[in-house]
Amino acid sequence: MAGAIQRMQGIERVNFFGVRHLSPAASWHLLKLLNKLKPKCVLIEGPSDSDYLISGISREEVVPPIAILAYTADKPVSTVFYPFAEYSPEYQAMKWAASSKAEAHFIDLPSGVMISLNPFKGDEKENSGYYSFVEGLYSDLIKQGGENSYDSYWERNFEHNLNEGAYNETVTLHSAEIRGLLEPEEFKCMPSSNAVDLVRESYMVGQIQKYLLKYKPEEIAVVTGAYHTARMKYETMPMSVGELGELPRRSSKLTLMPYSFYRLSSRSGYGAGNSAPEYYQLMWSSMQGNDLGALPIKYISKLGRLVRGNGGYCSTANIIEAVRLSYALTYLKGGAMPTLSDLHDACVACIGHGEFSELATAFALSDIGVAFGYLPEGISQTPVQDDMNRELKRLKLEKYKSTISQKLDLDLRGNLKVKSEEAAFLDLNRSVFLHRLQFLGIGFAQKAVVNQEGATWRESWVLGWSPEVEAKVVESVLKGDTIELAAAFHLRDKLEGCKNIQEAAKLISISYICKLSGGTDNAASVLQALAVDSGDFSGTVEAARELSMVIQYGDIRRFNTSALEPLLQQLFLHACLMLLSVSSCDNKAAVSIADAINTMHIISQENSEIVDGMEWDKALWGLAGRDDKNAKLSGAAFAVLLERGLITDEFCSTEISRRLSPGVPADLGAGWFEGMSMRNHYALLSRINLWRELDNYISSLEDEEFRKALVYMRRAFGGFEAYEKNSIAELLSDFWGEGDTDMAVFIQGGLEGAEASEIDGLNDFDFDM
């Protein structure tokens, strides 16, 4: 590389403090050191291009956990998070610098470089050998320490040690020894990952040397991961400007965002997380009050309250016994204070009756917790984040910004009892906003099923916040500065790539529901162009149904749908003209076409003043009278005509006799009956002649044809309710001269083993197709 520079003398006299990220003890010891040394400059591991965010992070109103989010300024979007809890040493260093009037700076690689270097870390499959080596090394360390996990080993040896000056030296030595054992294997198995660490350290040393031009070594404190400390202090060569310029870099931006304890936890997959953020927050609070020894009592008491809050039993005696047992377990391991593992074992024994499952929920709340950070107005955020917060406030949805999911029911009808229009249509405006978020893929709102069928005025949502939601909001800034503008851009983007008629209709629906008025005309044009060349009957019907639904709830949602009516007419007519040709198909294809016929019937009823009902009747008559089309579809068309009151009793009897006359093959006769029985069972039950003809037809079939007919009959009667089957039994009993009750019991009764086996064999019946 070009332009290499030398290490400055005196860098080893800089006050390096190695930490474990998210360590209360690290923060406690760091503050002690900072108060003792009173440095004029505090340098912190973090993206160097985010210095301007430090003043906002340090504000008193900020409530951790929070995170710096770095994201690319172009697509594909890539992100990197830099999270902080209240007990993060980096966060406490920034707070100390702000209160002590000292400079604070981030010194790690710029975010655009870090995003570009992330892929060089490799994946677990490629690095399985290295991870096995790491697992073995830590297993040996855990075994030698007499613990059951590395978290317990770390907590007992480092988090509980508040002896002044002990932490920095021991952690630095511990990390240096671990690195000395791991690095040769890492270099062999993961050279790229190892190189990224070395590049970062070289850059950070270069940044330290930059501030050494302004301050004496003793006036600088450096807070980095202990893994890097010894190497940077004594060995690493600084990176030059020329070398930095040769690194890959993507254009990136930065923002602050609230974070959650769950995302901080290692259980979420966060590599630098700990297993119990809520527990460590309790530990930090105890340290702040110089009362770390009370941590076991505080933790078990809190767990007891959670158990009782969930309807479980936990007495004061249970808590006392659990505390005593936790200390007994500690003494057996040579410790002075219980670790979280000791506390778990004691609680399971004394409160959970020996069953971890009884305390699983309480453990989750007391270990990981549901805390979610808070950033006040004025903190550096993207325009779309600011708009999101304004909309949440305007629509009175701020209380739903929680990691606990909550249900929200909306009534889209206007509330006439309030004075302002904004208040009258609050729920409608909420619906528009939530639909925009859903369209953008922002998971704050998930639409729930409404039990009241046909209630176009009612919606139900499940709302919940998470860091992933915030990240999605931030990503939307690439599409617009507000949620509305981002949704409109996303709609245009979708329309440009739209290739099928159903998707185009769905996008029209979205444009109306989200009130993206600028996109509705464009969406309609795309749909119209696709409809001209479409030969997809089911797709055309589905598109028509989508438009029909938009028109149906247009009044409730207060938008004018008159522009959609000609488009619905066009799609409806196109489907009518296609019906006969698409009905020359096999039974598999007939399933979707039959569903589409039912949908067309619904559209014609709901939009009788818009669509051409006579054209639909003509198409149905054309299909119902044809013997050369799929029999099931002909039966379905006949059923719709019957339901529309267009078939006389005389013609009905004649057609049934013709379709079910002896000699008609099973796939034609029974198939036609299956299609006809898809609708209006009550009307069929009232036509005695239908069942007499069906009985005579089935009786006339030869064995092989009878087996074929059974397949169709099973499907047909599978849609009948029990009481409808009883009615059929009564009709058949009259034909056969049997008692009504006996016949109903016989039909509803279960099959014997041999009968059941024979019927199951029909599932794979070969129709010679």
Side-chain angles (χ1 to χ4, degrees), residues 64-133:
I66 59 170
I68 296 172
L69 170 61
Y71 61 99
T72 52
D74 51 20
K75 296 180 181 179
V77 177
S78 296
T79 58
V80 173
F81 294 94
Y82 299 87
F84 307 103
E86 184 184 350
Y87 52 83
S88 294
E90 300 88 348
Y91 177 73
Q92 289 301 322
M94 286 183 271
K95 294 279 288 183
W96 183 91
S99 62
S100 303
K101 310 300 181 190
E103 285 190 36
H105 301 281
F106 289 122
I107 59 170
D108 206 344
L109 285 168
S111 58
V113 177
M114 282 300 299
I115 289 173
S116 298
L117 291 180
N118 262 351
F120 290 95
K121 288 288 187 180
D123 61 35
E124 288 191 18
K125 185 177 181 181
E126 293 174 356
N127 305 320
S128 57
Y130 174 71
Y131 289 115
S132 297
F133 178 81

Side-chain angles (χ1 to χ4, degrees), residues 706-758:
F706 176 72
R707 285 169 58 81
K708 277 188 180 182
L710 274 181
V711 176
Y712 293 98
M713 293 296 105
R714 286 183 73 197
R715 289 201 298 254
F717 288 114
F720 281 72
E721 299 292 340
Y723 73 90
E724 293 172 333
K725 293 176 183 177
N726 285 335
S727 297
I728 296 171
E730 292 176 6
L731 289 172
L732 294 176
S733 66
D734 289 339
F735 303 154
W736 299 341
E738 302 286 346
D740 293 354
T741 304
D742 293 339
M743 182 58 63
V745 171
F746 175 74
I747 288 180
Q748 294 294 342
L751 297 174
E752 299 296 333
E755 293 174 328
S757 178
E758 188 170 353

Side-chain angles (χ1 to χ4, degrees), residues 570-585:
Q570 177 187 342
L571 292 175
F572 188 83
L573 178 60
H574 191 39
C576 290
L577 297 176
M578 282 196 290
L579 178 60
L580 196 60
S581 61
V582 299
S583 297
S584 298
C585 63

Side-chain angles (χ1 to χ4, degrees), residues 23 49 54 88 93 106 155 261 370 451 490 503 539 665 726 730:
S23 167
D49 53 339
I54 291 177
S88 294
F106 289 122
E155 183 182 353
F261 271 176
V370 295
N451 293 328
H490 190 52
E503 184 184 358
N726 285 335
E730 292 176 6

Side-chain angles (χ1 to χ4, degrees), residues 64 96 110 207 261 323 351 373 387 404 467 504 525 538 552 570 573 761:
W96 183 91
Q207 291 294 101
F261 271 176
V323 172
I351 302 174
D387 179 67
I404 305 294
S525 299
S538 297
Q552 290 303 307
Q570 177 187 342
L573 178 60

Side-chain angles (χ1 to χ4, degrees), residues 294-315:
L295 177 60
I297 298 173
K298 291 179 179 178
Y299 176 83
I300 294 176
S301 297
K302 180 179 180 179
L303 186 92
R305 287 194 298 273
L306 290 169
V307 170
R308 289 192 292 270
N310 288 325
Y313 175 78
C314 180
S315 67

